[in-house]
Amino acid sequence: MTGSSDAVLIVTDSPLGEQIPAAHWPPIARVEPLNAIDNIDLSAYSAILVDADLSSTKTIDRLKKSLHALERQIPRYFLVTEGRRVEMVQANVLGAHATETRPLTPEGLKRLLSASQPLADLPDIPATAAAAHTASKALGSAFDALRSSTALNSVILSGASDDIVVSLGAVGLDQWLDTVRTHHHGTYQHCLLVTGVLTNFAQKVGMSRADISKLTTAGLLHDIGKAAIPVAILEKPGKLTPEEFDQIARHPVEGYDYLKAHANLGTDILAAVRGHHEYLDGSGYPDGLMSSQINDLTRIVTICDIYGALSERRAYKPAMPSSEALTILEGMSAAGKIEAALVRALREAVEAA
Ligand SMILES: [Fe+2]
Ligand SMILES: [Fe+2]
């Protein structure tokens, strides 16, 4: 499909006219559905306006492929939803010249199409650090909520989860792990590492947006029960006494009980919070479940939790190289504790990153 060189191409994933009244389109405009973009010669247009869900990794991949293949830079404009920072970050990653919030007004459209210089790119590292910072604050608020037995703030949590998904999609796992290890410590570092490993896993195996989001949320919350355990025990550098271990081992049930009473989460996430230290051979805790009683989400969280724990950097312990961590996981799967197919998938997801 080709267009005339002064025409504006409008690419949309929503029914035409829902956002912008047709009377306000530029005089020469062509509207195409997002899923046709692969077959459109973008260089034949003077500009492109994208009205699509920029929090969807599938949408971003599709746009990236087409826009990066362009030999000639054309101005690109994006509609975003107010308050969704994730869409702003993605628009920047895609080289936006300007963005406007939905619903687009005639004035907004005029402003949009008059921008001729690209916005300053958000550098990758600060964007990653910002996403990790947001997530750390969300963890702080969730841990406080458990300690005070008040409701979990799902808005803060889903905002943090969106930012992590975007960040991982844009910069990859290695940079996420490096950023988290540099700026965060203790239990929050652990939770952020595990979440990154889970999000990357979900993205690399091609899960749906909803499932990616679910795994990210499960990662953030899996150890929320540690909010009920004294920090001196959690952060103890040496070997734990049996009594101290018993205290730490309470965290899956503490987390589960809190979330069941104070959050609106699916049963599979609750099961993962309670069951992420269970092993397929029944040797885990707190319930000593056998493989048939452990759901897929829990199995994935367990494997990514171990990988994340091995990847931690502490004052007394450097981060273990990825290859060694994977070898340990493979040993555990050979011993029947965790699922071999998922360990293989994690190896592929980590190596692809
Ligand atoms: Fe845990
Ligand atoms: Fe953990």
Side-chain angles (χ1 to χ4, degrees), residues 271-286:
V273 171
R274 185 175 180 117
H276 69 275
H277 288 286
E278 301 286 358
Y279 290 137
L280 303 179
D281 62 1
S283 64
Y285 64 91

Side-chain angles (χ1 to χ4, degrees), residues 187 190-191 194 219 222-223 226 251 276-277 301-302 304-306 308-309 312:
T187 302
H190 168 74
C191 293
V194 172
H222 81 282
D223 271 342
K226 286 186 178 171
H251 78 271
H276 69 275
H277 288 286
V301 173
T302 299
C304 294
D305 181 38
I306 299 166
E312 273 170 53

Side-chain angles (χ1 to χ4, degrees), residues 219-285:
L220 284 170
L221 294 176
H222 81 282
D223 271 342
I224 189 175
K226 286 186 178 171
I229 314 297
V231 176
I233 298 179
L234 289 176
E235 305 283 323
K236 185 176 171 182
K239 205 170 168 347
L240 296 169
T241 65
E243 295 73 32
E244 287 166 343
F245 179 79
D246 286 348
Q247 281 207 59
I248 289 194
R250 285 187 4 241
H251 78 271
V253 173
E254 294 276 1
Y256 171 84
D257 286 347
Y258 164 72
L259 292 172
K260 194 160 188 251
H262 297 284
N264 184 19
L265 295 165
T267 51
D268 48 355
I269 294 186
L270 291 175
V273 171
R274 185 175 180 117
H276 69 275
H277 288 286
E278 301 286 358
Y279 290 137
L280 303 179
D281 62 1
S283 64
Y285 64 91

Side-chain angles (χ1 to χ4, degrees), residues 134 137-146 148 150-161 217 220-221 224 258-259 262-265:
T134 307
K137 278 183 21 192
L139 284 173
S141 135
F143 275 51
D144 285 348
L146 182 143
S148 59
T150 51
L152 183 78
N153 187 325
S154 60
V155 176
I156 293 180
L157 196 75
S158 64
S161 164
T217 304
L220 284 170
L221 294 176
I224 189 175
Y258 164 72
L259 292 172
H262 297 284
N264 184 19
L265 295 165

Side-chain angles (χ1 to χ4, degrees), residues 151-233:
L152 183 78
N153 187 325
S154 60
V155 176
I156 293 180
L157 196 75
S158 64
S161 164
D162 276 354
D163 282 0
I164 292 171
V165 171
V166 171
S167 186
L168 264 290
V171 303
L173 180 62
D174 287 348
Q175 194 174 104
W176 175 263
L177 298 183
D178 278 349
T179 303
V180 169
R181 283 188 290 234
T182 305
H183 298 293
H184 302 272
H185 65 274
T187 302
Y188 291 0
Q189 182 196 111
H190 168 74
C191 293
L192 296 173
L193 294 177
V194 172
T195 304
V197 176
L198 274 164
T199 306
N200 175 70
F201 178 94
Q203 288 173 333
K204 289 293 185 298
V205 303
M207 286 189 183
S208 67
R209 193 179 147 209
D211 284 342
I212 294 171
S213 176
K214 187 184 277 186
L215 259 69
T216 305
T217 304
L220 284 170
L221 294 176
H222 81 282
D223 271 342
I224 189 175
K226 286 186 178 171
I229 314 297
V231 176
I233 298 179

Side-chain angles (χ1 to χ4, degrees), residues 303 306-307 324-334 338 343 346:
I303 289 169
I306 299 166
Y307 183 86
E324 276 179 47
L326 289 166
T327 302
I328 290 177
L329 283 169
E330 282 159 1
M332 292 176 75
S333 83
I338 53 179
V343 175
L346 178 66

